[in-house]
């Protein structure tokens, strides 16, 4: 398979480039004129080279924080529904996905880990992300406060044992009891310590990030934490400072609901795309019409594409996850936040892949898995290729 268009690599754009795919992997990336048999205008000796194209070729998106989509959620749907949710995001450009859970009882978390484990084993998802239960009730957002508990190393050990290496990330508030012990256990298990849903002050969050002992992310920066004040900088400033010095990767839900375009621009300018990861935080309503949905144990009302917790009096509840894909966030960053295609591709694919230790994907380069998105010039999706196979 040979794809031609503007190729977005880790280092820059190839205005008229070729991505050559052999089996599951990319075997060549470069200018069309340099491709063997391609010729200066693509009309050389190699008949497989397609004619000039206005396509934009970018790596498949990598989503490290996603609760579901297409009408199904990872915290509450059966296995077939969870597979459909992953398929929903794959068809929208996410070629690597973590299945995110929410705070729940220990028994429920163990049940969901067991149910989702086969999806990890067969490659439907790349692993599991536990968003809780060791969070701050004060900044619980759309987490059910009934199930938020103090840090419990014994419970974490049970969860990690049940996951058998499939838990790749866990959101923990740095002020929770036993945070250092929890972080050490997660790092030893090969999981990312994701700091978030925290009411911690600047010093507490800074110390938590510094003491994690391994890869650290910030769970949806700005969301699930107090707003920054110049005399009380808090978790926002501590997280942004850490990302800016390369000590953490900041997740951004740049969908225009969770964050304004200018906020995304600020983070990219301060931390750079190499320490920023675009995420969807999508829940089961992603790709679905407005209506009533669930996020774990909580009812959610979606209106105008915005998911909020359902309230008894009909007033707007807390934002309850997203309804977009990472590719939507990627395109919005380019259109509205001033990000270059290269920066957006790094934040949407390269950086999150590196965060998870996935060295075989996340960019368009020879030797990597052939996860390729073919976009229109306006960045709408034309084709998804995952592991060298077009997705229908």
């Amino acid at each position: 398979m040979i794809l031609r268009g503007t190729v977005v690599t880790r280092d820059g754009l190839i205005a008229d480039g070729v991505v050559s795919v052999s089996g599951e992997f990319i075997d060549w990336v470069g200018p069309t004129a340099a491709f063997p048999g391609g010729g200066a205008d693509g009309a050389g000796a190699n008949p497989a080279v397609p004619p000039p194209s206005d396509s934009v070729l970018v790596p498949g998106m990598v989503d490290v924080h996603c609760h579901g989509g297409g009408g199904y959620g990872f915290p509450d749907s059966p296995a077939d529904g969870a597979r459909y949710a992953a398929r929903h995001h794959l068809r929208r450009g996410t070629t690597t996905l973590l299945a995110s859970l929410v705070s729940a009882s220990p028994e429920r978390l163990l049940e969901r880990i067991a149910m989702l484990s086969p999806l990890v084993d067969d490659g439907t998802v790349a692993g599991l992300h536990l968003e809780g239960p060791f969070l701050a009730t004060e900044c619980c957002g759309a987490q059910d406060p009934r199930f938020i508990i103090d840090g419990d190393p014994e419970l974490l050990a049970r969860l990690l044992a049940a996951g058998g290496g499939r838990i790749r990330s866990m959101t923990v508030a740095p002020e929770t009891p036993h945070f250092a012990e929890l972080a050490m256990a997660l790092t030893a298990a090969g999981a990312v310590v994701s700091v978030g849903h925290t009411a911690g002050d600047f010093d507490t969050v800074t110390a938590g990030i510094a003491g994690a002992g391994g890869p650290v992310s910030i769970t949806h920066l700005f969301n699930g934490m107090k707003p920054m004040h110049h005399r009380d900088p808090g978790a926002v400033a501590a997280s942004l400072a850490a990302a800016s010095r390369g000590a953490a990767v900041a997740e951004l839900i740049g969908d225009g609901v969770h964050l304004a375009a200018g906020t995304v621009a600020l983070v990219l300018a301060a931390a750079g795309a190499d320490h920023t990861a675009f995420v969807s935080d999508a829940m089961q309503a992603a790709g679905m019409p407005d209506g009533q949905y669930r996020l774990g144990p909580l009812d959610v009302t979606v209106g105008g594409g915005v998911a909020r917790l359902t309230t008894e009096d009909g007033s707007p509840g807390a934002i309850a996850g997203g309804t977009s894909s990472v590719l939507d966030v990627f395109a919005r960053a380019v259109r509205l936040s001033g990000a270059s295609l290269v920066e957006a591709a790094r934040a949407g694919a390269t950086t999150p892949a590196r965060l998870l230790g996935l060295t075989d994907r996340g960019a368009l380069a020879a030797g990597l898995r052939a996860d390729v998105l073919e976009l229109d010039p306006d960045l709408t999706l034309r084709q998804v290729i995952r592991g060298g196979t077009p997705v229908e």
Side-chain angles (χ1 to χ4, degrees):
M1 179 190 305
I2 299 176
L3 303 169
R4 184 175 179 182
T6 298
V7 180
V8 182
T9 75
R10 282 177 287 212
D11 302 316
L13 301 180
I14 304 173
D16 181 14
V18 162
V19 176
S20 176
V21 175
S22 178
E24 297 181 11
F25 299 95
I26 298 170
D27 62 9
W28 197 91
V29 175
T32 302
F35 185 65
D41 61 358
N46 190 337
V49 178
S53 170
D54 65 356
S55 293
V56 178
L57 304 176
V58 301
M61 300 291 107
V62 178
D63 194 351
V64 301
H65 191 151
C66 178
H67 297 283
Y72 297 94
F74 299 122
D76 42 35
S77 294
D80 287 349
R83 290 183 187 279
Y84 189 90
R87 182 75 177 177
H88 167 86
H89 285 280
L90 174 60
R91 294 181 66 190
R92 284 154 180 80
T94 301
T95 53
T96 298
L97 180 77
L98 292 191
S100 298
L101 301 180
V102 294
S103 298
S105 68
E107 295 73 24
R108 181 64 170 171
L109 290 173
L110 291 166
E111 173 193 320
R112 299 310 293 177
I113 291 169
M115 192 280 293
L116 291 167
S117 288
L119 279 71
V120 181
D121 295 342
D122 67 17
T124 299
V125 298
L128 308 180
H129 162 227
L130 308 185
E131 192 176 9
F134 311 134
L135 309 177
T137 304
E138 185 178 352
C139 294
C140 64
Q143 301 271 339
D144 192 329
R146 295 177 299 169
F147 299 115
I148 292 176
I149 59 175
D150 287 346
D152 183 341
E154 291 185 5
L155 173 57
L156 177 60
R158 291 173 61 197
L159 297 174
L160 291 172
R166 301 176 185 89
I167 295 172
R168 303 299 300 273
S169 176
M170 184 175 190
T171 301
V172 184
E175 68 269 31
T176 197
H178 310 293
F179 175 81
E181 188 176 348
L182 299 173
M184 184 181 302
L186 287 166
T187 298
V192 173
V193 178
S194 192
V195 171
H197 284 285
T198 172
D201 61 18
F202 183 92
D203 291 341
T204 299
V205 176
T206 299
I209 292 170
V216 180
S217 70
I218 308 300
T219 296
H220 44 52
L221 177 62
F222 297 98
N223 301 113
M225 51 189 72
K226 295 178 180 178
M228 186 175 72
H229 188 278
H230 58 282
R231 287 190 295 272
D232 183 15
V236 171
S239 299
L240 185 55
S244 299
R245 63 177 177 267
V249 170
E251 295 181 7
L252 296 183
I253 318 172
D255 58 4
V257 175
H258 290 81
L259 298 176
T263 305
V264 175
L266 167 69
V267 177
L268 287 173
D274 288 338
H275 301 290
T276 301
F278 294 154
V279 298
S280 70
D281 195 19
M283 44 81 70
Q284 65 173 224
M288 301 295 289
D290 290 350
Q292 300 301 126
Y293 296 92
R294 301 275 291 179
L295 179 57
L298 299 177
D299 291 323
V300 175
T301 300
V302 178
V306 179
R308 292 185 177 275
L309 291 182
T310 304
T311 59
E312 292 184 4
D313 62 3
S315 60
I319 296 174
T323 59
S324 301
S325 68
V326 173
L327 184 59
D328 294 329
V329 176
F330 162 95
R332 184 178 174 86
V334 174
R335 294 168 182 156
L336 300 176
S337 299
S340 70
L341 287 168
V342 173
E343 288 175 318
R346 283 180 176 174
T350 312
T351 297
R354 187 189 73 243
L355 176 69
L356 297 178
L358 299 174
T359 58
D360 64 338
R361 68 196 75 177
L364 299 183
L368 299 188
R369 196 174 83 171
D371 293 347
V372 188
L373 307 184
E374 184 178 7
L375 310 179
D376 286 329
D378 68 356
L379 307 183
T380 57
L381 189 59
R382 283 181 176 170
Q383 180 178 206
V384 178
I385 297 166
R386 182 177 190 262
T389 300
V391 174
E392 298 180 356

